[in-house]
Amino acid sequence: MSNIPAELKYVDSHEWLRLEADGSVTVGITAHAQELLGDIVFVELPKAGAKLAKDEQAGVVESVKAASDVYCPIAGEVLAVNEELEGEPELANSDPYGDGWFFKIKPANAADLDGLMDAAAYAKEIGA
């Protein structure tokens, strides 16, 4: 479980969420997701300012193996996207919980984070 950071929240579609000090939430894909996908070659992200519903498609990740949708784990407004991924999509492989983040969102309801999986529950979900 060492590659599942304890301070994050998780959803079964393999996105992680980190609550930031300013109340925003950073979202990315988990190490497990990027391992399943293989080498990531393209990332399509939502537009800043977009209002997304919970579980709405927020983007696409393409790898040498497959394409996979990225979902918005909570409702809210996209504040920023990780533009570095456009030129370096492999950051999602090499640093999924750091430089490989996907977007930041202002939650419509911060309490939505409370119902998400913690690291132990996610580890059980993926059989880690």
Side-chain angles (χ1 to χ4, degrees):
M1 201 169 95
S2 61
N3 66 344
I4 304 174
E7 71 277 9
L8 304 178
K9 294 288 191 173
Y10 301 87
V11 293
D12 58 8
S13 55
H14 307 293
E15 287 86 17
W16 58 262
L17 300 90
R18 178 176 51 239
L19 180 62
E20 305 294 351
D22 65 1
S24 68
V25 174
T26 302
V27 179
I29 63 170
T30 65
H32 179 73
Q34 66 83 21
E35 286 166 10
L36 292 175
L37 285 165
D39 292 336
I40 294 172
V41 296
F42 176 77
V43 176
E44 178 182 307
L45 299 171
K47 301 280 186 236
K51 289 185 173 29
L52 299 173
K54 181 182 186 311
D55 298 329
E56 182 177 349
Q57 182 183 340
V60 176
V61 175
E62 292 180 15
S63 72
V64 294
K65 290 184 186 177
S68 182
D69 292 336
V70 175
Y71 297 97
C72 190
I74 59 171
E77 180 181 348
V78 177
L79 298 173
V81 297
N82 186 352
E83 294 177 5
E84 285 186 47
L85 289 177
E86 287 180 19
E88 294 181 80
E90 63 274 8
L91 285 172
N93 290 118
S94 62
D95 194 7
Y97 300 113
D99 290 339
W101 63 276
F102 279 45
F103 59 93
K104 293 183 187 287
I105 191 166
K106 177 183 177 186
N109 182 357
D112 289 346
L113 289 165
D114 296 340
L116 303 179
M117 287 185 272
D118 62 12
Y122 184 68
K124 186 175 179 183
E125 173 83 15
I126 63 171

